[in-house]
Amino acid sequence: MNDSTAKNLALSHMWVAFSAFILACFMGEYQVLERSGLFDSLSSPSVYFASVSTHGVLMAFVLTTFFIMGFGYYTASHSLKVPVWNPKLAWFGFGLALTGVVMAAIPLLTGLASVLYTFYPPVQAHVAFYIGATLLVIGSWVWCAIMVVMFYQWKQANPGKTVPLAMFATTANAFLWLWTSTGVALEVLFQLIPWALGWMDTLDPGLARTLFAWTLHPIVYFWLIPAYTAFYVFVPKQAGAYLFSEEAARMAFIVLVVFSLPIGFHHLYMDPEQAKGWKLLHGLGTFIVTLPTLVTGFTVIASLEIAGRLRGGKGLFGWIGTLPWGNPMVLSVILSLLMLIFGGFGGIVNASYAMNAMIHNTAWVPGHFHLIFAGTTIIMYFAIAYYLWPVLVKKPLFSKSLALVQLWTWFIGMSIMTTPWHVLGLLGQPRRISSVQYNNLLTLSWEPYELLMILGGLVLLGSACLFFYLLIKTQFSASTEPFEGIVEYAEPLHEVKDLPEYLNDFKLWNKVIGVLMLISFGIPILQFFFMDTYGSSGWGY
Amino acid sequence: MKHLFLLTALIIPSFVSAKPASNMVWMPETLNFVENGNVQKGEQLAQSCASCHGEKGISAMGMFPSLAGQTANYTYKQLRDYADGKRDNPMMNSVAQGLSDQDSADLAAWFQSLPAAQNKASTQDVSKAELMVNQGNGKKILPPCFTCHGASGKGKRMDTPALAGQQSEYTVNTLMAYKKGTRHNDIYSRMRVIAKQLSDDEIKQLGELYQQMK
Amino acid sequence: MNKISEEERQKILESPPVGTWILMLSVAGGMVAAWLFLYYGVFLSRGIIN
Amino acid sequence: MHIDPLERKWVLVSLGMCALFVSIIMIDALFHGVNAPSNVETIDSRKIHLSEEFGEDNLGVQVAENGEITVRMVAGRYAFFPKEITIPAETKITFRWVSMDVLHGVHMPMTNMSTMIVPGYVSQVESSFPRPGEYPMLCNEYCGLGHDHMWSKVSVIDKEEWDASRAASKTVTSDTIDEEQNNE
């Protein structure tokens, strides 16, 4: 099969993703330096908030969306052994999303959209920013459509057969993203754009926040699912064994998709526009969505345990030492899981309703999501890139040992940076400030932690540069020997037999999601149309 | 004991006027109304302002403000506040009472359309003012001036005034009036709280700095 | 990699993942302990919230 | 379908862990009044300076006849008004917050006093402060370029000191009123 289209799509998308990433890494390091207050010459809230807005948009929207699309095209084509459906449409989606990025980048970089990636009105950005973000999302919907079509075409051509796990997960993510992005799309299309264009005088910030909260939680699972996909379909094979349970994997994906959606109000615990009953309901759902992650931890580690034992590991924990730590994919998963334990715990604390007051909008929160997103998730993006690059560019990985150094330094840097960040949060330092101005003794206790964060940021920046360098070197090195990399999927330990249809399809689950969303968001959204609410005009910043 | 005084001061119900600092409410209709002020009509009306505020809105006397380049919302609010007696100035009170809402909007639009004064830099030391404009003062809880008045002093959306090119004497007088509380049409004492923290020297330098700003 | 017989291999594939089980139990135990500490030791000791 | 018995047990352990957390949270929420601040109450943020409750002279700390303390604060770029308040430790205090412009958030470090302040809504939160001291009350949601500078001072004083000064201020207040009456 000629899969050059899928490879080109994957490579183009991933280059956009990682270019955004490296740019945003430099901004990140500038931000820790600026925020520490050590360098007077750097002090500028205007530059800082433009930078932090750009950093957030590049990392959370551009890196993720493009990586997921690129990975998805390749996975779909390779695991189903069919070419990408309608490549022209796929390239159109790519173009649309890229246009959106450029369109949003201009106001961001010129300080006309310093409203952060959460764009909370009524501070108002340049309308090009909102339109650009919308184009990016619409471009990603094209990807979703192609994934869903390929999934169902394959099922039609292979009746009764089990959809490969990699494609099952990718399609799960496509559905998840369609549901997820609806909230922010409603906000942008019916509130932000008409308001920024002046077609509408005011908007209700309470409604805007509610709609954004719809998106704000499941979006992190959209980012996370490629990492989990690698956990299940690549890691066991790379470690030298089998996937411990494919059924558990499928259930985990389904519960992730279904329960990450109706729970967004844990972002609104401290908000006045939603009542406590709804917050408690969403809080309960938030605890349910920890389950698939806990199960994933077990399944993946059990797969590793078998691999370690096959390699001669004895006793209760002897298998850990005998794992192939020199394999980038295996090293990544170990480091990823380590960060997941702490990041996941932080998430449980955030989810704990009233306890959220202890850390809400403090430095704890960016500490948490850097650990779980930039740590757990992104380290798997690295692993996937190291795994796929040789296949995509038909050249061997430039240096495996440097790749290992890169992964280790990323983990170390992330640990050095996020640990003080969490502590700062418990000490009450707010997030999203460009400098510490509070004339209070308490702030003295913050200083040493800020210094540590600079160090962590430096290590991370070095690691990111090394990653980028390795990709370039792999692709553009003058290798003459023909090279064919291969992608191998892990076999399940126990053959999958008599898989129930609900673990091989999403029709039922989409209905379940529809009902859950109606229950958890129906009245909370409708209330804004029944209450006497007062709109806000747009404000500068 | 310090606490005691502070506390006493804070929890005694205040006997000063319980009236709002300004009656201005920025409803969208008001914002649109001011935005659509008629520049030509404003120009005609402004002829009677010229003797104090200058032909092109640039005043020749330090006691009168230049109005050229002032944001329309701000001019409009001041005119309504004068009319309501929220801002005191015998002359302006009677002028403003003679202006309708429409007149005020037209005037505001006219002055906004004029280019602000471009003044030459003097040799005076403005280092303290620069610090205030760009950095503020965390110790005194003073945000940098630019965060509300703009990086080049052009004012911002809603009703923060443009300051660039303003007569230094006028800026100084205004800040002193806020400091003393004789000017009080800033809701929730926003500007009074800030002005109270400024030293006379800082105020003087700020006047100079904004006069030169372009 | 150590050479292992086919018999040993089958045994490993069929044996329950006790290492994982113990590891995950300790993670869960640690999480419960840390959560209880934060909830009662830090959060509630900082005053009421309603 | 094949699920390993240990994995089944692990699912039960996970469920148990979540159930423990959820029960503690629910019981505290429903029976002990430990809740996220959630009164859904709207207000026209553009007109608050004309409102009675948030009129300029009505802000700050107010003590009702029965001793209940309410603090009314307005958040506006870049300060919380009034800029300094004094409150007693170990006492339930009701805070009512409104924004006069954009989105803000407020918390006092190392306390549970935390809420978002969304224009168009009144945020009400009850809290108490076990430890006396000087606290910054700071904006924790990006609200504009002066956001770093948006904070006010809170003195949390010993309860005894508060009660003493309350008693003193009562006499001062009645004195002042007497004087004023004499002047008339």
Side-chain angles (χ1 to χ4, degrees):
Chain A
M1 186 193 77
N2 179 9
D3 60 353
S4 62
T5 312
K7 284 181 174 169
N8 285 339
L9 278 166
L11 211 52
S12 311
H13 279 84
M14 288 197 186
W15 268 123
V16 175
F18 292 129
S19 306
F21 166 74
I22 194 77
L23 190 65
C25 280
F26 278 93
M27 294 177 160
E29 179 58 16
Y30 151 75
Q31 285 153 215
V32 278
L33 286 172
E34 202 272 5
R35 205 171 189 270
S36 72
L38 285 177
F39 308 93
D40 271 347
S41 55
L42 283 181
S43 148
S44 161
S46 322
V47 179
Y48 180 86
F49 287 115
S51 174
V52 85
S53 300
T54 315
H55 175 88
V57 169
L58 287 179
M59 291 295 201
F61 296 147
V62 183
L63 162 65
T64 51
T65 310
F66 276 87
F67 178 85
I68 290 164
M69 293 196 286
F71 182 47
Y73 283 128
Y74 185 75
T75 305
S77 166
H78 187 266
S79 70
L80 300 179
K81 302 190 179 66
V82 295
V84 171
W85 178 73
N86 205 339
K88 274 191 188 148
L89 185 64
W91 284 114
F92 171 73
F94 173 75
L96 208 58
L98 190 59
T99 311
V101 171
V102 174
M103 204 167 161
I106 295 168
L108 275 170
L109 292 170
T110 47
L112 294 173
S114 299
V115 296
L116 309 189
Y117 85 103
T118 44
F119 37 76
Y120 290 140
V123 284
Q124 195 180 60
H126 192 281
V127 69
F129 172 65
Y130 302 125
I131 295 177
T134 308
L135 291 180
L136 171 60
V137 171
I138 295 175
S140 70
W141 285 349
V142 170
W143 171 81
C144 293
I146 293 173
M147 291 301 107
V148 172
V149 168
M150 288 179 77
F151 179 86
Y152 282 106
Q153 278 183 346
W154 190 89
K155 269 183 73 95
Q156 217 163 25
N158 300 274
K161 280 197 188 158
T162 307
V163 180
L165 182 58
M167 186 58 192
F168 183 78
T170 304
T171 314
N173 210 13
F175 277 118
L176 173 67
W177 180 236
L178 286 171
W179 280 104
T180 301
S181 50
T182 305
V184 74
L186 291 172
E187 182 193 358
V188 173
L189 293 177
F190 292 103
Q191 291 194 291
L192 296 178
I193 291 181
W195 174 67
L197 285 171
W199 300 343
M200 208 168 84
D201 285 323
T202 63
L203 55 69
D204 182 346
L207 175 59
R209 286 177 65 73
T210 302
L211 290 173
F212 200 81
W214 166 330
T215 296
L216 201 46
H217 195 66
I219 196 173
V220 304
Y221 287 94
F222 171 61
W223 306 334
L224 192 63
I225 281 185
Y228 279 22
T229 309
F231 280 6
Y232 285 119
V233 306
F234 295 144
V235 166
K237 183 79 190 173
Q238 291 299 301
Y242 302 93
L243 172 56
F244 186 66
S245 169
E246 177 159 341
E247 288 89 342
R250 285 169 186 263
M251 281 192 246
F253 281 118
I254 284 170
V255 180
L256 272 182
V257 172
V258 173
F259 278 97
S260 65
L261 276 155
I263 60 171
F265 283 8
H266 61 236
H267 292 267
L268 302 182
Y269 281 152
M270 293 298 126
D271 271 44
E273 75 273 3
Q274 295 296 347
K276 60 185 170 195
W278 296 112
K279 292 178 182 176
L280 279 166
L281 182 73
H282 284 235
L284 178 67
T286 309
F287 278 95
I288 295 177
V289 89
T290 61
L291 291 174
T293 292
L294 291 162
V295 169
T296 298
F298 190 94
T299 311
V300 176
I301 296 173
S303 309
L304 291 173
E305 178 171 352
I306 295 170
R309 290 192 189 284
L310 288 176
R311 296 168 67 94
K314 301 268 183 267
L316 211 47
F317 299 120
W319 53 272
I320 299 177
T322 56
L323 284 172
W325 288 69
N327 178 308
M329 184 70 78
V330 175
L331 177 65
S332 300
V333 80
I334 295 168
L335 302 178
S336 178
L337 287 170
L338 273 172
M339 292 187 276
L340 180 60
I341 292 173
F342 295 98
F345 173 72
I348 292 177
V349 172
N350 300 341
S352 300
Y353 188 56
M355 183 161 38
N356 188 263
M358 179 175 74
I359 40 81
H360 175 76
N361 266 356
T362 67
W364 169 287
V365 178
H368 161 70
F369 69 67
H370 276 81
L371 193 53
I372 200 122
F373 170 64
T376 306
T377 306
I378 297 299
I379 206 164
M380 291 314 293
Y381 285 18
F382 295 154
I384 293 170
Y386 288 140
Y387 191 54
L388 289 188
W389 230 249
V391 178
L392 298 178
V393 305
K394 296 197 171 84
K395 286 172 192 169
L397 187 62
F398 175 68
S399 162
K400 199 171 92 172
S401 51
L402 279 181
L404 296 174
V405 170
Q406 190 269 321
L407 293 167
W408 272 112
T409 47
W410 190 259
F411 169 74
I412 293 166
M414 199 54 79
S415 308
I416 300 177
M417 188 169 74
T418 55
T419 309
W421 228 343
H422 280 87
V423 177
L424 280 171
L426 288 174
L427 292 174
Q429 186 184 85
R431 68 191 285 202
R432 292 174 166 174
I433 49 170
S434 76
S435 57
V436 174
Q437 299 290 346
Y438 320 117
N439 185 18
N440 188 286
L441 285 179
L442 173 74
T443 60
L444 291 179
S445 68
W446 297 348
E447 281 167 14
Y449 297 102
E450 306 231 351
L451 294 183
L452 261 179
M453 285 178 65
I454 296 181
L455 176 68
L458 272 176
V459 176
L460 286 169
L461 181 60
S463 179
C465 291
L466 182 55
F467 170 72
F468 205 69
Y469 172 77
L470 284 173
L471 293 190
I472 290 176
K473 273 297 206 184
T474 302
Q475 185 162 356
F476 301 106
S477 65
S479 121
T480 45
E481 289 167 45
F483 178 86
E484 279 295 332
I486 43 163
V487 170
E488 296 174 292
Y489 300 110
E491 299 284 329
L493 181 58
H494 303 276
E495 199 195 334
V496 180
K497 280 181 290 196
D498 312 321
L499 193 72
E501 187 58 14
Y502 62 82
L503 291 183
N504 198 34
D505 198 6
F506 297 98
K507 289 199 183 87
L508 168 69
W509 300 115
N510 277 319
K511 286 179 199 140
V512 173
I513 293 172
V515 172
L516 289 177
M517 289 304 277
L518 204 64
I519 294 171
S520 56
F521 278 94
I523 294 173
I525 288 177
L526 281 177
Q527 66 161 353
F528 293 102
F529 301 93
F530 295 115
M531 285 192 299
D532 285 327
T533 56
Y534 304 94
S536 287
S537 302
W539 292 77
Y541 42 84
Chain B
M1 205 49 206
K2 195 186 125 219
H3 281 318
L4 209 77
F5 275 122
L6 199 65
L7 199 63
T8 319
L10 286 169
I11 57 179
I12 292 179
S14 162
F15 292 105
V16 215
S17 98
K19 286 174 193 145
S22 168
N23 292 328
M24 194 67 221
V25 173
W26 288 116
M27 298 305 280
E29 303 79 58
T30 326
L31 289 165
N32 291 338
F33 175 71
V34 176
E35 199 185 335
N36 294 324
N38 186 319
V39 178
Q40 281 80 37
K41 287 215 178 112
E43 182 176 10
Q44 287 163 17
L45 283 165
Q47 285 168 2
S48 47
C49 312
S51 55
C52 297
H53 295 288
E55 279 299 323
K56 289 278 173 194
I58 296 172
S59 145
M61 285 162 286
M63 58 188 295
F64 303 119
S66 291
L67 300 176
Q70 187 51 272
T71 62
N73 285 353
Y74 182 75
T75 307
Y76 180 81
K77 176 178 184 288
Q78 300 313 309
L79 287 171
R80 295 336 296 156
D81 283 352
Y82 277 129
D84 289 354
K86 296 294 179 190
R87 187 175 167 185
D88 307 316
N89 179 300
M91 181 139 91
M92 282 311 295
N93 289 138
S94 64
V95 170
Q97 273 153 16
L99 294 171
S100 66
D101 284 356
Q102 186 62 56
D103 295 339
S104 309
D106 295 345
L107 277 166
W110 162 246
F111 285 119
Q112 180 174 258
S113 73
L114 296 170
Q118 307 270 320
N119 298 314
K120 287 211 181 74
S122 75
T123 50
Q124 264 191 48
D125 177 24
V126 290
S127 55
K128 278 185 194 161
E130 273 171 346
L131 215 59
M132 275 314 304
V133 170
N134 298 318
Q135 310 282 329
N137 186 330
K139 290 224 157 43
K140 296 200 277 184
I141 328 191
L142 286 173
C145 312
F146 92 88
T147 58
C148 291
H149 294 282
S152 45
K154 301 273 187 272
K156 282 207 176 172
R157 230 187 286 186
M158 292 301 168
D159 58 5
T160 42
L163 302 174
Q166 187 54 272
Q167 301 272 7
S168 87
E169 187 185 336
Y170 183 76
T171 304
V172 171
N173 288 346
T174 306
L175 283 170
M176 293 307 286
Y178 274 130
K179 192 173 175 176
K180 285 185 222 129
T182 48
R183 172 143 178 208
H184 43 68
N185 66 330
D186 53 330
I187 58 171
Y188 297 113
S189 314
R190 285 197 284 183
M191 201 58 213
R192 275 170 286 176
V193 175
I194 292 171
K196 278 197 184 94
Q197 302 272 11
L198 295 172
S199 70
D200 290 2
D201 192 30
E202 280 167 335
I203 288 178
K204 211 172 134 244
Q205 288 198 11
L206 281 167
E208 191 58 35
L209 182 69
Y210 275 114
Q211 176 168 288
Q212 299 165 18
M213 200 179 271
K214 284 170 189 151
Chain C
M1 197 191 272
N2 297 357
K3 284 271 177 225
I4 51 167
S5 69
E6 185 55 33
E7 198 179 326
E8 274 177 288
R9 193 182 145 79
Q10 277 309 318
K11 215 178 125 200
I12 288 170
L13 291 183
E14 277 156 32
S15 61
V18 277
T20 304
W21 168 243
I22 300 296
L23 202 64
M24 295 305 278
L25 277 186
S26 28
V27 167
M31 279 199 182
V32 170
W35 190 89
L36 291 174
F37 167 72
L38 278 180
Y39 193 87
Y40 291 104
V42 181
F43 167 55
L44 288 184
S45 81
R46 287 180 172 190
I48 60 173
I49 170 146
N50 192 3
Chain D
M1 265 209 306
H2 185 277
I3 303 284
D4 187 88
L6 271 184
E7 183 146 27
R8 274 177 210 277
K9 269 203 219 166
W10 170 246
V11 173
L12 291 179
V13 170
S14 306
L15 275 170
M17 184 166 82
C18 291
L20 173 72
F21 297 155
V22 169
S23 335
I24 294 175
I25 291 168
M26 289 285 179
I27 290 169
D28 272 354
L30 300 176
F31 303 110
H32 302 138
V34 180
N35 277 297
S38 318
N39 69 315
V40 183
E41 180 184 341
T42 61
I43 191 169
D44 194 341
S45 272
R46 297 161 294 204
K47 293 181 183 160
I48 48 169
H49 59 290
L50 305 183
S51 75
E52 195 177 339
E53 181 177 3
F54 293 98
E56 215 162 301
D57 305 315
N58 208 28
L59 297 183
V61 184
Q62 290 193 348
V63 188
E65 285 296 312
N66 60 6
E68 282 192 6
I69 303 172
T70 305
V71 180
R72 289 187 181 76
M73 302 284 293
V74 169
R77 294 191 291 189
Y78 293 104
F80 298 102
F81 302 100
K83 292 192 77 164
E84 290 186 24
I85 59 167
T86 302
I87 47 176
E90 297 164 84
T91 311
K92 187 187 93 175
I93 294 168
T94 305
F95 289 86
R96 285 174 63 76
W97 300 88
V98 286
S99 166
M100 60 189 267
D101 43 36
V102 299
L103 185 66
H104 299 283
V106 62
H107 79 261
M108 289 162 61
M110 323 274 290
T111 77
N112 285 333
M113 208 301 296
S114 173
T115 182
M116 295 301 296
I117 307 169
V118 182
Y121 300 84
V122 181
S123 308
Q124 180 172 307
V125 51
E126 287 169 9
S127 196
S128 64
F129 306 91
R131 286 175 280 273
E134 296 281 325
Y135 292 84
M137 166 187 271
L138 48 90
C139 184
N140 65 24
E141 185 56 89
Y142 171 71
C143 57
L145 296 180
H147 168 56
D148 304 349
H149 292 263
M150 182 158 170
W151 65 286
S152 294
K153 283 184 190 171
V154 183
S155 306
V156 177
I157 61 170
D158 279 332
K159 206 166 164 14
E160 295 83 57
E161 199 185 337
W162 169 270
D163 290 337
S165 60
R166 277 274 296 156
S169 79
K170 264 191 188 141
T171 51
V172 174
T173 314
S174 45
D175 286 354
T176 329
I177 291 167
D178 287 347
E179 270 172 38
E180 289 208 344
Q181 281 165 348
N182 291 345
N183 289 345
E184 273 168 18

